[in-house]
Amino acid sequence: MKMRYEMTTRNGEPAIRVRLNYDEAREYLALDEEWIEVLDSLTASERKAMTLELYLVPLREVAEYAVGTTGKPTDRLPALTAATTAWAEDDYDEALFSLEGIDRAAYLEVLDRAARIIAREIRAWDTVDVSRLVELLTKLGEIVDRVGWEVDYYVRMDSLPSALIPEGVDTAYPVWAVDKQGMALVGPGADEVESVEEVRAACEEHARRMRGIPLRCHKCGHIWMYRGGSHYRTTCPACHVTVYLDKCMIT
């Protein structure tokens, strides 16, 4: 029987609820000796009615689960959790890893739902703080990297929400988005943050390099258009002597 799951909410956040039967629960909890002891103590009828309910909250990377035999978490819990709550928190990545081993086809569908939840949040980004956008893109990247998918399948990187991009900032830098505080998401991997002023200065410097600086060598008289990165000195391409830009620039 295929692993059961459905879209829902958990504490007001989008979530995926996975329900595992007795055999699936044993596989999910295989490394937890206390839980295995609890499962072994169930009667045949309890095992038949037993459900492990797992909530996955992709936006916070939270996994919580509880075991029940009547639709509610059981009070027959391991000693470590009995004094606190019927819901136990699990490692998010390990929870996904366990689900993959139980039913890979269903696991891929769960990953797809998780990616869509994150992508929806990315498209709804309020442009207030670009670090939030970076966080969401990182989470989406981690999901798709698990199975070799592409982020672009869920989010168009060239159409991310953004505050108004100021004049003088070339999006080919590349600049993916700008927030209302003047910070920009940049870099080939869309994983770096720089101020708009830093980006503007870099764009101006790039434009300067493309235009070039006319120089005349003070030794041999050779004239050429310098497009290097130094603001201080370079080497004459003809005689290879050191040339200082401020002294050899043709005005």
Side-chain angles (χ1 to χ4, degrees):
M1 186 174 64
K2 186 176 179 179
M3 187 170 69
R4 299 167 295 167
Y5 67 90
E6 62 182 350
M7 302 297 294
T8 183
T9 59
R10 182 71 169 166
N11 298 324
E13 294 183 274
I16 305 164
R17 179 165 57 199
V18 180
R19 289 191 172 96
L20 306 179
N21 60 29
Y22 176 79
D23 292 330
E24 293 167 337
R26 281 192 64 88
E27 191 167 349
Y28 182 85
L29 299 169
L31 299 180
D32 191 322
E33 294 180 0
E34 290 184 292
W35 267 116
I36 293 300
E37 184 178 345
V38 172
L39 296 182
D40 287 343
S41 71
L42 299 178
T43 65
S45 61
E46 286 176 329
R47 293 181 183 186
K48 186 175 181 180
M50 197 223 78
T51 297
L52 185 151
E53 193 166 276
L54 170 68
Y55 280 90
L56 299 170
V57 186
L59 295 180
R60 289 191 294 115
E61 295 187 337
V62 168
E64 295 177 319
Y65 68 91
V67 175
T69 56
T70 59
K72 297 180 181 180
T74 180
D75 56 1
R76 300 170 69 179
L77 298 169
L80 292 178
T81 60
T84 55
T85 176
W87 289 95
E89 187 168 338
D90 204 356
D91 181 272
Y92 185 77
D93 288 330
E94 289 184 6
L96 290 175
F97 180 77
S98 298
L99 293 181
E100 181 179 14
I102 295 171
D103 185 339
R104 180 167 171 79
Y107 159 78
L108 293 176
E109 294 175 9
V110 168
L111 280 191
D112 177 67
R113 299 302 186 274
R116 292 180 186 279
I117 288 173
I118 299 170
R120 190 181 309 121
E121 194 75 6
I122 290 172
R123 290 190 292 270
W125 176 54
D126 58 12
T127 73
V128 171
D129 187 347
V130 76
S131 62
R132 174 58 176 168
L133 180 59
V134 173
E135 178 187 352
L136 291 170
L137 287 171
T138 300
K139 292 181 188 297
L140 180 57
E142 290 171 350
I143 288 291
V144 300
D145 285 348
R146 284 178 171 272
V147 283
W149 295 341
E150 296 293 334
V151 168
D152 286 341
Y153 180 78
Y154 295 96
V155 174
R156 285 188 56 185
M157 293 299 296
D158 60 353
S159 299
L160 292 174
S162 175
L164 181 65
I165 297 178
E167 292 184 10
V169 174
D170 187 355
T171 56
Y173 179 66
V175 176
W176 303 96
V178 172
D179 69 17
K180 295 176 181 177
Q181 303 176 67
M183 302 301 291
L185 175 63
V186 301
D191 55 1
E192 302 173 37
V193 175
E194 296 179 6
S195 71
V196 167
E197 294 307 315
E198 289 177 306
V199 175
R200 183 184 285 114
C203 291
E204 291 174 354
E205 173 62 17
H206 179 72
R208 182 194 68 78
R209 291 183 188 179
M210 293 300 99
R211 291 193 302 269
I213 301 173
L215 299 178
R216 178 186 287 112
C217 178
H218 64 281
K219 182 178 180 182
C220 69
H222 177 71
I223 296 175
W224 78 100
M225 192 67 73
Y226 172 68
R227 294 188 174 87
S230 175
H231 294 272
Y232 182 50
R233 65 185 180 184
T234 184
T235 302
C236 173
C239 68
H240 307 294
V241 71
T242 297
V243 171
Y244 293 90
L245 272 59
D246 60 341
K247 295 180 180 180
C248 298
M249 185 184 305
I250 301 174
T251 59

